[in-house]
Amino acid sequence: MESEFLELEIAWFLNVLQRRIRAQFGLGTIGATESEIDMPDATDCDEPYARFVGTLGLGVEGRLVLMLTMLPLLRPSALDFLKATDSEKLQISDFGGYSAQVHKGFLPTFETALFLLCGNSLALRSNYIAYFQRGNPLFEEHWVRLEQIAPNEPITASLLQPTTDLINVLTKGYVGDPEFGPSFPAQKIETDRNWQDLVLPHETKNDIEEIISWVRHEQMVMREWRLAEKVNPGFRCLFHGPPGTGKTFTATLLGKATGRDVYRIDLSMVVSKYIGETEKNLKVVFDKAQSKGWILFFDEADALFGKRTDVSDSKDRYANQEVSYLLQRVESFDGVVILATNNRENMDKAFTRRFQVVVNFSVPNAMERLILWRTGLPAACTLAASVNLEAIAERYELTGGSIMNVVRHCALRAAVRGLPVIEEYDLVDGIRREFRKAGRILH
């Protein structure tokens, strides 16, 4: 990050803060127009910080809050004088702040921002509390978040925390993909394959086309035609069907077709036996994804979105609270959510009523299986004369995923022999393995 604009911005910010403190001591006044004095011009400046300020169209208030949020990272000691001020005359309740266990500097809170913007003016305070909730792009677009330090504290005691996206865009000039791990339990999934590799019934294809249409025309329908005044944001889909029928593959192709990132939520990192932890883990994903245009894909979703039960103990009550929380977050999310399950009956009906599209992924019929066999076999290999692919497709009921497992097995067998020829016994042996995995017997 270059420093010329930042140095000017920090100096301007500290000047405004010092004038606010002097006004609090009765040594002067400060108004909104005075805050603009010496405010650096971000126009035509190519530094990441200046570009961000210009892109969001931040005014005086937005720039002051942004710098207040970033200062503990950019210049950790810059706010330390507030601790000394507190020990002399001002009470900490006047300007908030928090002292962390490891970080020795002053950490700003929502209260600090209110003090900076309006001092002790009650009228302005009400306006700025509303400003933090609506109309401030830093919060509306999830660049800055309010982190509650302890339960039952007022919201004004919440820490001002820059999100990883904000830190990246101000230091690197771009957001980048979030790093998969405990702090973000979702992984970006992609594919190099195309729609031609996906064989589905006509009705299923029509349902998928509706999802693509929504992504491409959402802005027109919701904003220009003002449908947002009548319906909830986002688009919710249920994919149901046996394993291997193309649910995950379809999700990746949807992302590829629409230019949207697809993130698969890792349920092993989300679901927790501790009360409140599951909701907390999911909040991280939904907050991060809000307003990004991402497609969120929940595989085996019934583990999270299963039926609520009759309450017989506290465990049932908290489990039902989890489902209710999920219902609320899914319904308020402004992107596309896809819930995938092997059994639709396991899903809570409160969710299924709210899906815009319910897509059935059935086991392919004989004709569809034949297409899958023909498109799946490697072009560099040939079939032995004894292989009757039509008869194999007719006789053995397999999903697309299982067929590709057999293809992989056959290709490996041929490679070991050193000849690009797939024999009938390769196919039968691979099919037998798939049947055995499913607990079926090959006759």
Side-chain angles (χ1 to χ4, degrees), residues 199 363-375 389 392-400 403:
V199 180
V363 175
N365 59 33
M367 182 58 69
E368 292 162 349
R369 292 196 294 270
L370 180 59
I371 296 172
L372 286 166
W373 281 115
R374 285 174 172 167
T375 57
L389 207 56
I392 288 174
E394 179 71 37
R395 181 175 180 182
Y396 301 112
E397 189 177 278
L398 294 166
T399 64
I403 288 173

PDB file of all heavy atoms in Angstrom, residues 199 363-375 389 392-400 403:
ATOM      1  N   VAL A 199     -26.210 -35.269 -18.286  1.00  0.00           N
ATOM      2  CA  VAL A 199     -27.376 -35.853 -18.958  1.00  0.00           C
ATOM      3  C   VAL A 199     -28.537 -35.869 -17.961  1.00  0.00           C
ATOM      4  O   VAL A 199     -28.478 -36.562 -16.949  1.00  0.00           O
ATOM      5  CB  VAL A 199     -27.080 -37.284 -19.458  1.00  0.00           C
ATOM      6  CG1 VAL A 199     -28.305 -37.878 -20.143  1.00  0.00           C
ATOM      7  CG2 VAL A 199     -25.883 -37.264 -20.414  1.00  0.00           C
ATOM      8  N   VAL A 363     -32.491 -41.231 -11.038  1.00  0.00           N
ATOM      9  CA  VAL A 363     -31.564 -42.180 -11.654  1.00  0.00           C
ATOM     10  C   VAL A 363     -31.833 -42.207 -13.152  1.00  0.00           C
ATOM     11  O   VAL A 363     -32.992 -42.307 -13.580  1.00  0.00           O
ATOM     12  CB  VAL A 363     -31.741 -43.583 -11.040  1.00  0.00           C
ATOM     13  CG1 VAL A 363     -30.858 -44.598 -11.753  1.00  0.00           C
ATOM     14  CG2 VAL A 363     -31.428 -43.549  -9.543  1.00  0.00           C
ATOM     15  N   PRO A 364     -30.814 -42.074 -13.985  1.00  0.00           N
ATOM     16  CA  PRO A 364     -31.045 -42.000 -15.431  1.00  0.00           C
ATOM     17  C   PRO A 364     -31.663 -43.285 -15.991  1.00  0.00           C
ATOM     18  O   PRO A 364     -31.395 -44.384 -15.504  1.00  0.00           O
ATOM     19  CB  PRO A 364     -29.647 -41.763 -16.012  1.00  0.00           C
ATOM     20  CG  PRO A 364     -28.704 -42.228 -14.955  1.00  0.00           C
ATOM     21  CD  PRO A 364     -29.384 -41.971 -13.654  1.00  0.00           C
ATOM     22  N   ASN A 365     -32.509 -43.108 -17.022  1.00  0.00           N
ATOM     23  CA  ASN A 365     -33.086 -44.281 -17.680  1.00  0.00           C
ATOM     24  C   ASN A 365     -32.074 -44.882 -18.648  1.00  0.00           C
ATOM     25  O   ASN A 365     -30.945 -44.381 -18.777  1.00  0.00           O
ATOM     26  CB  ASN A 365     -34.392 -43.916 -18.394  1.00  0.00           C
ATOM     27  CG  ASN A 365     -34.191 -42.833 -19.457  1.00  0.00           C
ATOM     28  OD1 ASN A 365     -33.152 -42.756 -20.106  1.00  0.00           O
ATOM     29  ND2 ASN A 365     -35.210 -42.003 -19.642  1.00  0.00           N
ATOM     30  N   ALA A 366     -32.478 -45.953 -19.340  1.00  0.00           N
ATOM     31  CA  ALA A 366     -31.535 -46.692 -20.200  1.00  0.00           C
ATOM     32  C   ALA A 366     -30.944 -45.807 -21.292  1.00  0.00           C
ATOM     33  O   ALA A 366     -29.737 -45.856 -21.566  1.00  0.00           O
ATOM     34  CB  ALA A 366     -32.229 -47.910 -20.799  1.00  0.00           C
ATOM     35  N   MET A 367     -31.780 -44.987 -21.921  1.00  0.00           N
ATOM     36  CA  MET A 367     -31.284 -44.115 -22.992  1.00  0.00           C
ATOM     37  C   MET A 367     -30.299 -43.084 -22.451  1.00  0.00           C
ATOM     38  O   MET A 367     -29.252 -42.809 -23.062  1.00  0.00           O
ATOM     39  CB  MET A 367     -32.455 -43.400 -23.672  1.00  0.00           C
ATOM     40  CG  MET A 367     -32.042 -42.507 -24.833  1.00  0.00           C
ATOM     41  SD  MET A 367     -31.142 -43.403 -26.134  1.00  0.00           S
ATOM     42  CE  MET A 367     -32.471 -44.426 -26.774  1.00  0.00           C
ATOM     43  N   GLU A 368     -30.631 -42.526 -21.289  1.00  0.00           N
ATOM     44  CA  GLU A 368     -29.726 -41.550 -20.672  1.00  0.00           C
ATOM     45  C   GLU A 368     -28.424 -42.210 -20.236  1.00  0.00           C
ATOM     46  O   GLU A 368     -27.345 -41.623 -20.361  1.00  0.00           O
ATOM     47  CB  GLU A 368     -30.415 -40.874 -19.482  1.00  0.00           C
ATOM     48  CG  GLU A 368     -31.577 -39.961 -19.900  1.00  0.00           C
ATOM     49  CD  GLU A 368     -32.524 -39.645 -18.750  1.00  0.00           C
ATOM     50  OE1 GLU A 368     -32.415 -40.278 -17.673  1.00  0.00           O
ATOM     51  OE2 GLU A 368     -33.393 -38.770 -18.932  1.00  0.00           O
ATOM     52  N   ARG A 369     -28.512 -43.435 -19.746  1.00  0.00           N
ATOM     53  CA  ARG A 369     -27.297 -44.154 -19.353  1.00  0.00           C
ATOM     54  C   ARG A 369     -26.409 -44.419 -20.562  1.00  0.00           C
ATOM     55  O   ARG A 369     -25.174 -44.331 -20.473  1.00  0.00           O
ATOM     56  CB  ARG A 369     -27.654 -45.467 -18.644  1.00  0.00           C
ATOM     57  CG  ARG A 369     -28.309 -45.267 -17.293  1.00  0.00           C
ATOM     58  CD  ARG A 369     -28.293 -46.546 -16.469  1.00  0.00           C
ATOM     59  NE  ARG A 369     -29.127 -47.612 -17.038  1.00  0.00           N
ATOM     60  CZ  ARG A 369     -30.401 -47.800 -16.757  1.00  0.00           C
ATOM     61  NH1 ARG A 369     -31.050 -46.946 -15.953  1.00  0.00           N
ATOM     62  NH2 ARG A 369     -31.077 -48.809 -17.283  1.00  0.00           N
ATOM     63  N   LEU A 370     -27.010 -44.741 -21.682  1.00  0.00           N
ATOM     64  CA  LEU A 370     -26.225 -44.985 -22.896  1.00  0.00           C
ATOM     65  C   LEU A 370     -25.463 -43.721 -23.300  1.00  0.00           C
ATOM     66  O   LEU A 370     -24.284 -43.784 -23.672  1.00  0.00           O
ATOM     67  CB  LEU A 370     -27.143 -45.450 -24.025  1.00  0.00           C
ATOM     68  CG  LEU A 370     -26.464 -45.738 -25.367  1.00  0.00           C
ATOM     69  CD1 LEU A 370     -25.399 -46.831 -25.212  1.00  0.00           C
ATOM     70  CD2 LEU A 370     -27.495 -46.147 -26.419  1.00  0.00           C
ATOM     71  N   ILE A 371     -26.125 -42.574 -23.210  1.00  0.00           N
ATOM     72  CA  ILE A 371     -25.458 -41.306 -23.538  1.00  0.00           C
ATOM     73  C   ILE A 371     -24.301 -41.057 -22.570  1.00  0.00           C
ATOM     74  O   ILE A 371     -23.212 -40.629 -22.964  1.00  0.00           O
ATOM     75  CB  ILE A 371     -26.469 -40.138 -23.491  1.00  0.00           C
ATOM     76  CG1 ILE A 371     -27.551 -40.324 -24.559  1.00  0.00           C
ATOM     77  CG2 ILE A 371     -25.756 -38.802 -23.676  1.00  0.00           C
ATOM     78  CD1 ILE A 371     -28.692 -39.333 -24.462  1.00  0.00           C
ATOM     79  N   LEU A 372     -24.543 -41.343 -21.287  1.00  0.00           N
ATOM     80  CA  LEU A 372     -23.488 -41.153 -20.282  1.00  0.00           C
ATOM     81  C   LEU A 372     -22.292 -42.057 -20.564  1.00  0.00           C
ATOM     82  O   LEU A 372     -21.135 -41.635 -20.425  1.00  0.00           O
ATOM     83  CB  LEU A 372     -24.046 -41.422 -18.888  1.00  0.00           C
ATOM     84  CG  LEU A 372     -24.975 -40.348 -18.308  1.00  0.00           C
ATOM     85  CD1 LEU A 372     -25.729 -40.882 -17.103  1.00  0.00           C
ATOM     86  CD2 LEU A 372     -24.170 -39.103 -17.936  1.00  0.00           C
ATOM     87  N   TRP A 373     -22.564 -43.312 -20.943  1.00  0.00           N
ATOM     88  CA  TRP A 373     -21.463 -44.230 -21.292  1.00  0.00           C
ATOM     89  C   TRP A 373     -20.684 -43.694 -22.497  1.00  0.00           C
ATOM     90  O   TRP A 373     -19.449 -43.665 -22.490  1.00  0.00           O
ATOM     91  CB  TRP A 373     -22.006 -45.623 -21.612  1.00  0.00           C
ATOM     92  CG  TRP A 373     -22.354 -46.465 -20.432  1.00  0.00           C
ATOM     93  CD1 TRP A 373     -23.589 -46.923 -20.068  1.00  0.00           C
ATOM     94  CD2 TRP A 373     -21.441 -46.991 -19.445  1.00  0.00           C
ATOM     95  NE1 TRP A 373     -23.521 -47.686 -18.928  1.00  0.00           N
ATOM     96  CE2 TRP A 373     -22.203 -47.745 -18.520  1.00  0.00           C
ATOM     97  CE3 TRP A 373     -20.069 -46.908 -19.256  1.00  0.00           C
ATOM     98  CZ2 TRP A 373     -21.642 -48.397 -17.435  1.00  0.00           C
ATOM     99  CZ3 TRP A 373     -19.491 -47.547 -18.177  1.00  0.00           C
ATOM    100  CH2 TRP A 373     -20.275 -48.282 -17.275  1.00  0.00           C
ATOM    101  N   ARG A 374     -21.387 -43.280 -23.517  1.00  0.00           N
ATOM    102  CA  ARG A 374     -20.715 -42.846 -24.743  1.00  0.00           C
ATOM    103  C   ARG A 374     -19.915 -41.567 -24.532  1.00  0.00           C
ATOM    104  O   ARG A 374     -18.811 -41.428 -25.088  1.00  0.00           O
ATOM    105  CB  ARG A 374     -21.752 -42.644 -25.849  1.00  0.00           C
ATOM    106  CG  ARG A 374     -22.275 -43.952 -26.425  1.00  0.00           C
ATOM    107  CD  ARG A 374     -23.397 -43.708 -27.421  1.00  0.00           C
ATOM    108  NE  ARG A 374     -23.773 -44.957 -28.106  1.00  0.00           N
ATOM    109  CZ  ARG A 374     -24.876 -45.098 -28.844  1.00  0.00           C
ATOM    110  NH1 ARG A 374     -25.712 -44.055 -28.990  1.00  0.00           N
ATOM    111  NH2 ARG A 374     -25.142 -46.251 -29.429  1.00  0.00           N
ATOM    112  N   THR A 375     -20.465 -40.630 -23.800  1.00  0.00           N
ATOM    113  CA  THR A 375     -19.744 -39.366 -23.575  1.00  0.00           C
ATOM    114  C   THR A 375     -18.658 -39.501 -22.518  1.00  0.00           C
ATOM    115  O   THR A 375     -17.692 -38.733 -22.510  1.00  0.00           O
ATOM    116  CB  THR A 375     -20.721 -38.250 -23.154  1.00  0.00           C
ATOM    117  OG1 THR A 375     -21.434 -38.650 -21.971  1.00  0.00           O
ATOM    118  CG2 THR A 375     -21.710 -37.953 -24.267  1.00  0.00           C
ATOM    119  N   LEU A 389     -22.481 -51.938 -25.722  1.00  0.00           N
ATOM    120  CA  LEU A 389     -22.731 -50.837 -24.789  1.00  0.00           C
ATOM    121  C   LEU A 389     -24.228 -50.611 -24.571  1.00  0.00           C
ATOM    122  O   LEU A 389     -24.661 -50.270 -23.459  1.00  0.00           O
ATOM    123  CB  LEU A 389     -22.064 -49.553 -25.325  1.00  0.00           C
ATOM    124  CG  LEU A 389     -21.650 -48.506 -24.281  1.00  0.00           C
ATOM    125  CD1 LEU A 389     -20.726 -49.108 -23.241  1.00  0.00           C
ATOM    126  CD2 LEU A 389     -20.992 -47.310 -24.961  1.00  0.00           C
ATOM    127  N   ILE A 392     -25.413 -53.099 -22.029  1.00  0.00           N
ATOM    128  CA  ILE A 392     -24.936 -52.742 -20.692  1.00  0.00           C
ATOM    129  C   ILE A 392     -25.767 -51.599 -20.117  1.00  0.00           C
ATOM    130  O   ILE A 392     -26.164 -51.622 -18.949  1.00  0.00           O
ATOM    131  CB  ILE A 392     -23.438 -52.372 -20.746  1.00  0.00           C
ATOM    132  CG1 ILE A 392     -22.606 -53.636 -20.971  1.00  0.00           C
ATOM    133  CG2 ILE A 392     -22.996 -51.652 -19.471  1.00  0.00           C
ATOM    134  CD1 ILE A 392     -21.139 -53.370 -21.173  1.00  0.00           C
ATOM    135  N   ALA A 393     -26.050 -50.598 -20.941  1.00  0.00           N
ATOM    136  CA  ALA A 393     -26.865 -49.469 -20.482  1.00  0.00           C
ATOM    137  C   ALA A 393     -28.264 -49.923 -20.108  1.00  0.00           C
ATOM    138  O   ALA A 393     -28.857 -49.418 -19.149  1.00  0.00           O
ATOM    139  CB  ALA A 393     -26.919 -48.397 -21.571  1.00  0.00           C
ATOM    140  N   GLU A 394     -28.804 -50.865 -20.854  1.00  0.00           N
ATOM    141  CA  GLU A 394     -30.150 -51.363 -20.595  1.00  0.00           C
ATOM    142  C   GLU A 394     -30.187 -52.226 -19.328  1.00  0.00           C
ATOM    143  O   GLU A 394     -31.132 -52.132 -18.537  1.00  0.00           O
ATOM    144  CB  GLU A 394     -30.622 -52.192 -21.797  1.00  0.00           C
ATOM    145  CG  GLU A 394     -32.006 -52.798 -21.651  1.00  0.00           C
ATOM    146  CD  GLU A 394     -33.099 -51.764 -21.718  1.00  0.00           C
ATOM    147  OE1 GLU A 394     -32.976 -50.804 -22.511  1.00  0.00           O
ATOM    148  OE2 GLU A 394     -34.085 -51.910 -20.954  1.00  0.00           O
ATOM    149  N   ARG A 395     -29.179 -53.025 -19.139  1.00  0.00           N
ATOM    150  CA  ARG A 395     -29.219 -54.025 -18.068  1.00  0.00           C
ATOM    151  C   ARG A 395     -28.866 -53.452 -16.693  1.00  0.00           C
ATOM    152  O   ARG A 395     -29.483 -53.814 -15.692  1.00  0.00           O
ATOM    153  CB  ARG A 395     -28.253 -55.158 -18.404  1.00  0.00           C
ATOM    154  CG  ARG A 395     -28.247 -56.272 -17.357  1.00  0.00           C
ATOM    155  CD  ARG A 395     -27.360 -57.429 -17.779  1.00  0.00           C
ATOM    156  NE  ARG A 395     -27.352 -58.502 -16.788  1.00  0.00           N
ATOM    157  CZ  ARG A 395     -26.636 -59.603 -16.877  1.00  0.00           C
ATOM    158  NH1 ARG A 395     -25.864 -59.795 -17.960  1.00  0.00           N
ATOM    159  NH2 ARG A 395     -26.678 -60.521 -15.927  1.00  0.00           N
ATOM    160  N   TYR A 396     -27.880 -52.550 -16.626  1.00  0.00           N
ATOM    161  CA  TYR A 396     -27.354 -52.125 -15.334  1.00  0.00           C
ATOM    162  C   TYR A 396     -27.807 -50.705 -14.997  1.00  0.00           C
ATOM    163  O   TYR A 396     -27.435 -49.742 -15.683  1.00  0.00           O
ATOM    164  CB  TYR A 396     -25.826 -52.204 -15.325  1.00  0.00           C
ATOM    165  CG  TYR A 396     -25.300 -53.590 -15.613  1.00  0.00           C
ATOM    166  CD1 TYR A 396     -24.614 -53.862 -16.803  1.00  0.00           C
ATOM    167  CD2 TYR A 396     -25.503 -54.628 -14.703  1.00  0.00           C
ATOM    168  CE1 TYR A 396     -24.135 -55.129 -17.068  1.00  0.00           C
ATOM    169  CE2 TYR A 396     -25.022 -55.902 -14.969  1.00  0.00           C
ATOM    170  CZ  TYR A 396     -24.348 -56.151 -16.147  1.00  0.00           C
ATOM    171  OH  TYR A 396     -23.872 -57.418 -16.425  1.00  0.00           O
ATOM    172  N   GLU A 397     -28.592 -50.617 -13.943  1.00  0.00           N
ATOM    173  CA  GLU A 397     -29.115 -49.321 -13.499  1.00  0.00           C
ATOM    174  C   GLU A 397     -28.062 -48.633 -12.631  1.00  0.00           C
ATOM    175  O   GLU A 397     -27.823 -49.018 -11.495  1.00  0.00           O
ATOM    176  CB  GLU A 397     -30.410 -49.520 -12.710  1.00  0.00           C
ATOM    177  CG  GLU A 397     -31.129 -48.218 -12.398  1.00  0.00           C
ATOM    178  CD  GLU A 397     -32.441 -48.439 -11.682  1.00  0.00           C
ATOM    179  OE1 GLU A 397     -33.450 -48.726 -12.353  1.00  0.00           O
ATOM    180  OE2 GLU A 397     -32.445 -48.348 -10.436  1.00  0.00           O
ATOM    181  N   LEU A 398     -27.439 -47.619 -13.201  1.00  0.00           N
ATOM    182  CA  LEU A 398     -26.378 -46.879 -12.507  1.00  0.00           C
ATOM    183  C   LEU A 398     -26.623 -45.382 -12.632  1.00  0.00           C
ATOM    184  O   LEU A 398     -27.218 -44.910 -13.603  1.00  0.00           O
ATOM    185  CB  LEU A 398     -25.010 -47.200 -13.111  1.00  0.00           C
ATOM    186  CG  LEU A 398     -24.482 -48.629 -12.961  1.00  0.00           C
ATOM    187  CD1 LEU A 398     -23.308 -48.842 -13.909  1.00  0.00           C
ATOM    188  CD2 LEU A 398     -24.067 -48.897 -11.524  1.00  0.00           C
ATOM    189  N   THR A 399     -26.142 -44.624 -11.652  1.00  0.00           N
ATOM    190  CA  THR A 399     -26.185 -43.166 -11.753  1.00  0.00           C
ATOM    191  C   THR A 399     -25.010 -42.679 -12.588  1.00  0.00           C
ATOM    192  O   THR A 399     -24.063 -43.432 -12.872  1.00  0.00           O
ATOM    193  CB  THR A 399     -26.103 -42.521 -10.363  1.00  0.00           C
ATOM    194  OG1 THR A 399     -24.824 -42.828  -9.782  1.00  0.00           O
ATOM    195  CG2 THR A 399     -27.217 -43.027  -9.453  1.00  0.00           C
ATOM    196  N   GLY A 400     -25.046 -41.406 -12.967  1.00  0.00           N
ATOM    197  CA  GLY A 400     -23.946 -40.838 -13.737  1.00  0.00           C
ATOM    198  C   GLY A 400     -22.632 -40.897 -12.981  1.00  0.00           C
ATOM    199  O   GLY A 400     -21.585 -41.183 -13.561  1.00  0.00           O
ATOM    200  N   ILE A 403     -21.318 -44.452 -13.168  1.00  0.00           N
ATOM    201  CA  ILE A 403     -20.813 -44.748 -14.509  1.00  0.00           C
ATOM    202  C   ILE A 403     -19.409 -44.174 -14.685  1.00  0.00           C
ATOM    203  O   ILE A 403     -18.509 -44.838 -15.226  1.00  0.00           O
ATOM    204  CB  ILE A 403     -21.777 -44.206 -15.583  1.00  0.00           C
ATOM    205  CG1 ILE A 403     -23.051 -45.066 -15.616  1.00  0.00           C
ATOM    206  CG2 ILE A 403     -21.111 -44.162 -16.958  1.00  0.00           C
ATOM    207  CD1 ILE A 403     -24.146 -44.537 -16.520  1.00  0.00           C
TER     208      ILE A 403
END
